[in-house]
Amino acid sequence: MLRSIFLAALLTVAGVATTAAQAPTVNVEHAWARATPGGAKSAALYMTLVNKGADDRLVSVSTPVAGKAEVHSTTTENGVMRMRPVEALDVKAGTSTTLKPGGYHVMLTDLKAPLVAGQSFAVTLTFENAGKIDVTATVEKLGAAAPGAMPGMKM
Amino acid sequence: MRRYTLYAVAVAAVVALFGLWLTAPWRGAGPRDATATLQAPSIGGPFTLTATDGSTVTDQSYRGKIMLVYFGYTTCPDACPTTLNSIASALAELGPLADRIQPLFITIDPQRDTRAVLADYVKAFDSRIVGLTGRPEQIAAAAKAYGVYYAPYKTADAPDGYLMDHTSVVFVMNEEHRFVATFTQDTPPAQMADRLRRLIAKTS
């Protein structure tokens, strides 16, 4: 009896330890890209990074649908839009960072095929601390007014 | 001595007249009017460009239509598709009223945006959006008329080694092609549609 309780406790501890080691400290939510217009060789990938662990940095992104995937920032000053590569994206502890139109995005270049609405594709994000995280990005149709919003919905 | 008095009177008269002019009621509301009359005509103007079917178009080709003028490029992954998406959504919301509007997408990257690339690109958003290109100097002249800035930013990571920095603003020109408003990629489509509906109501 005592032995079985001890064993159960041991298993529980082991289970918790395993979970702790496996649970990613960064949650990737709503990874999406817009369908690409005919002939477009590039696209932008958006997502929300929720960091429940220590300060971290997104250092690289890869996906089989594109030759290259790079984090870019978009800044607009006096109406002039500038995109710049970002070496690594800081994701501070306890914060949520949203990559969205007009802000940060992952620029996908050398697309192997057009991104078609309704399809999804694999993406691997590499963080300095959290390591590699695999996510699935969905392709949303052109005309989608805003991420997750219904087209034509008043904001 | 008499001559000096004459000068003094003349100067006083000029000062007095200037004072009267400053306070005159016909000067209206002041700076606000000045802005409306001085700045508005400085955005927009004639342009000569090439449509995706190879035909030459000018601003006069769209006379009588409200123009939505946007400069961008097809390799742009973020700002341009977001803006064109919003324009397409606004057109959809306007229904038949959209016939009064001519959206134009003018490339500032003619090297990559051939007529074929441009045609494929714009029709994915809405077939009513017209893609325009031209010789570099024609595009430069159109951009200058709208006060649009563009320049390549070289980076090895980008396709063909460069991105384009550019003014990402939609210029709303009324049926007489006078500048009335701007939209940005942050303007919700419903708000664009409302603004255009009001403009159409005013001109019809």
Side-chain angles (χ1 to χ4, degrees):
Chain A
M1 176 64 187
L2 209 69
R3 239 179 92 171
S4 62
I5 289 174
F6 177 73
L7 203 69
L10 201 73
L11 280 173
T12 311
V13 169
V16 168
T18 319
T19 321
Q22 282 177 348
T25 52
V26 178
N27 269 8
V28 181
E29 294 170 1
H30 192 211
W32 68 283
R34 215 180 265 125
T36 50
K41 288 172 288 181
S42 56
L45 172 64
Y46 307 103
M47 67 193 82
T48 298
L49 307 171
V50 183
N51 187 0
K52 298 179 295 180
D55 286 355
D56 212 334
R57 300 168 87 205
L58 173 63
V59 288
S60 72
V61 183
S62 67
T63 171
V65 301
K68 262 187 223 167
E70 286 267 324
V71 179
H72 278 189
S73 66
T74 300
T75 55
T76 307
E77 207 181 315
N78 293 326
V80 178
M81 185 280 303
R82 290 180 171 88
M83 272 194 320
R84 294 290 181 265
V86 174
E87 224 162 271
L89 180 64
D90 283 327
V91 280
K92 297 273 180 219
T95 66
S96 151
T97 308
T98 300
L99 286 74
K100 59 172 191 282
Y104 288 107
H105 61 268
V106 177
M107 183 167 177
L108 307 177
T109 54
D110 303 330
L111 284 178
K112 308 272 197 279
L115 300 181
V116 178
Q119 292 184 346
S120 56
F121 58 93
V123 178
T124 303
L125 307 173
T126 306
F127 292 88
E128 214 164 59
N129 298 325
K132 282 190 195 301
I133 297 176
D134 292 323
V135 297
T136 303
T138 53
V139 181
E140 296 187 8
K141 70 178 171 85
L142 281 175
M150 296 296 289
M153 204 173 83
K154 295 221 177 198
M155 302 210 294
Chain B
M1 179 65 196
R2 235 176 111 184
R3 202 192 261 167
Y4 289 127
T5 312
L6 213 61
Y7 277 137
V9 168
V11 167
V14 167
V15 168
L17 276 172
F18 182 66
L20 270 174
W21 178 76
L22 275 181
T23 52
W26 44 260
R27 294 194 72 233
R32 211 162 163 187
D33 281 13
T35 308
T37 50
L38 291 177
Q39 284 185 357
S42 71
I43 293 177
F47 58 75
T48 303
L49 295 162
T50 308
T52 51
D53 63 4
S55 62
T56 299
V57 298
T58 71
D59 50 303
Q60 290 303 303
S61 309
Y62 309 110
R63 196 163 47 182
K65 287 214 175 195
I66 292 166
M67 292 195 301
L68 301 181
V69 183
Y70 182 67
F71 293 77
Y73 68 116
T74 70
T75 321
C76 164
D78 185 45
C80 307
T82 303
T83 308
L84 292 176
N85 248 340
S86 296
I87 290 176
S89 301
L91 291 178
E93 263 195 52
L94 285 169
L97 282 180
D99 293 346
R100 306 277 296 271
I101 297 160
Q102 180 56 64
L104 302 175
F105 178 73
I106 303 173
T107 181
I108 41 88
D109 186 13
Q111 194 187 326
R112 284 187 291 205
D113 293 344
T114 60
R115 281 174 8 219
V117 168
L118 207 51
D120 269 357
Y121 187 79
V122 291
K123 79 174 179 211
F125 295 94
D126 193 297
S127 56
R128 291 169 287 191
I129 301 173
V130 165
L132 297 177
T133 182
R135 292 195 305 274
E137 63 274 18
Q138 291 177 314
I139 292 168
K144 196 180 171 198
Y146 282 86
V148 163
Y149 167 86
Y150 63 98
Y153 173 75
K154 291 195 171 81
T155 166
D157 300 319
D160 310 309
Y162 68 97
L163 299 166
M164 294 297 294
D165 294 347
H166 65 96
T167 302
S168 182
V169 168
V170 179
F171 299 96
V172 183
M173 311 299 286
N174 72 11
E175 285 162 327
E176 288 158 359
H177 294 176
R178 285 184 199 281
F179 167 72
V180 285
T182 55
F183 298 148
T184 69
Q185 64 177 62
D186 299 323
T187 311
Q191 203 173 305
M192 289 186 182
D194 281 349
R195 184 70 186 84
L196 292 168
R197 218 177 268 123
R198 275 189 283 134
L199 185 58
I200 290 167
K202 212 167 141 188
T203 47
S204 53

